[in-house]
Amino acid sequence: MNARLIDGKKHAASLRAQLAAQVDALAARGIHPGLAVIIVGDHPASRAYVRNKLAACAETGVRSTKIELAEQVTQRALLDEIAALNHNPAVHGILVQLPLPAHIDAQAVLEAIAPSKDVDGFHASSAGALLQGRPGFVPCTPAGVMYLLAQEGIALAGQHAVVLGRSNVVGKPLALLLLQNDATVTICHSRTKDLATEARRADILIAAVGRAGLVRAEMVKPGACVIDVGINRNAAGQLVGDVDFDAVCQVAGSITPVPGGVGPMTVAMLVANTLRAAQA
Ligand code: NAD
């Protein structure tokens, strides 16, 4: 293996320790950061994500409340729940775990969260602030990727960053953050004509697609930094990213593993956003 491993687990643990100290400092001023997590239905993956988020809150001293709603919950009941949390002064951050059942308009639900409590950064006003480079909540996964790049000393200014994926959750906000940090950014997606050629131009290659084995060694410029956001199960049922890890390790300069790369950073960033909400 040639590539340097970017250890997201280690960076996330050290960030959580710093956040725990900040929580203590806030508590001394009588402020106790609180996060409310709403989960609808019974998706095993969603349950696992929520479990990790609540564990990170517990570890850092952030108070958390889990609100479990049945799969059949009406949109009205869900909106009422959010309205109550918006008015609850003990709740500084509100997160609705996605995906939501098909009968619910997810965007309407996300827009119902008070922007001041939008710790997932999915509200249109948060997205608009990010687009314009104004202060606001940044979605946790893109924020976690930027944190990893900064901690690892990966230069961005003038570098060519290629983002595979254009979702509102990962690809688009990440592209904007890279742009804000003076990278030259290319966004690729399912209709991109020659993904391999685009990817090979990247000094920083970010895969956020959700397809195991999508990024092969020949798509990577020698020495590039490769960040794998993808979470997939391979045929053997193991958790893998979008990158053919073993092969790409022979070419890349640095690389995040899956698991243990971006995932833990996403969770730590949620705690960081909740703290910011409590400090505001
Ligand atoms: P999404 O399905 O909303 O978006 C996928 C994107 O990939 C789309 O923009 C689509 O255009 C693009 N795409 C699809 N096929 C492609 C192809 N063949 N070539 C190039 N682009 C293609 O997914 P998402 O929510 O953005 O998540 C992407 C991946 O990241 C998933 O595996 C998801 O599980 C994972 N994820 C991980 C974390 C984490 O914390 N590690 C957080 C969020 C999402």
Side-chain angles (χ1 to χ4, degrees):
M1 172 166 151
N2 297 322
R4 185 176 85 249
L5 197 71
I6 300 178
D7 187 346
K9 247 171 116 171
K10 180 193 79 180
H11 285 298
S14 117
L15 176 60
R16 287 197 306 274
Q18 293 169 44
L19 295 171
Q22 289 177 34
V23 171
D24 284 347
L26 275 179
R29 290 167 40 204
I31 301 169
H32 301 281
L35 173 71
V37 177
I38 299 179
I39 178 164
V40 180
D42 197 20
H43 304 96
S46 292
R47 289 197 166 273
Y49 293 143
V50 167
R51 224 177 9 255
N52 289 342
K53 291 169 185 177
L54 298 182
C57 286
E59 187 190 322
T60 48
V62 167
R63 293 177 177 173
S64 64
T65 319
K66 180 167 67 164
I67 297 156
E68 298 185 73
L69 302 173
E71 180 87 20
Q72 308 83 339
V73 69
T74 62
Q75 180 155 329
R76 185 68 263 158
L78 179 50
L79 292 175
D80 287 348
E81 197 70 58
I82 292 170
L85 295 170
N86 282 341
H87 290 105
N88 183 342
V91 172
H92 301 95
I94 303 169
L95 178 156
V96 179
Q97 183 65 43
L98 300 176
L100 289 169
H103 69 276
I104 289 178
D105 176 352
Q107 199 52 43
V109 168
L110 297 177
E111 298 297 317
I113 296 171
S116 60
K117 299 189 177 189
D118 178 37
V119 287
D120 245 348
F122 296 157
H123 194 288
S125 78
S126 303
L130 178 60
L131 182 73
Q132 295 184 346
R134 289 186 287 112
F137 289 109
V138 174
C140 300
T141 301
V145 170
M146 296 307 290
Y147 184 90
L148 282 181
L149 293 172
Q151 291 296 310
E152 291 284 326
I154 308 286
L156 296 175
Q159 299 296 294
H160 193 163
V162 175
V163 180
L164 311 182
R166 58 173 164 183
S167 73
N168 289 337
V169 179
V170 189
K172 272 192 259 177
L174 194 43
L176 288 170
L177 290 166
L178 290 160
L179 191 61
Q180 269 172 26
N181 283 274
D182 301 324
T184 301
V185 182
T186 300
I187 306 175
C188 298
H189 48 80
S190 52
R191 306 292 293 273
T192 296
K193 273 193 182 141
D194 186 353
L195 198 69
T197 300
E198 298 296 344
R200 223 174 7 248
R201 292 164 60 208
D203 301 303
I204 297 124
L205 178 62
I206 299 181
V209 170
R211 189 176 286 205
L214 179 81
V215 178
R216 304 179 310 277
E218 63 270 25
M219 294 168 66
V220 177
K221 182 199 271 192
C225 171
V226 178
I227 305 285
D228 193 352
V229 180
I231 301 177
N232 312 289
R233 294 257 169 214
N234 67 10
Q238 295 157 321
L239 214 59
V240 295
D242 290 346
V243 175
D244 180 353
F245 184 81
D246 291 340
V248 170
C249 274
Q250 306 304 317
V251 184
S254 54
I255 188 167
T256 59
V258 176
V262 174
M265 286 310 310
T266 296
V267 178
M269 283 302 168
L270 173 65
V271 178
N273 277 352
T274 304
L275 238 72
R276 238 189 82 199
Q279 282 161 335

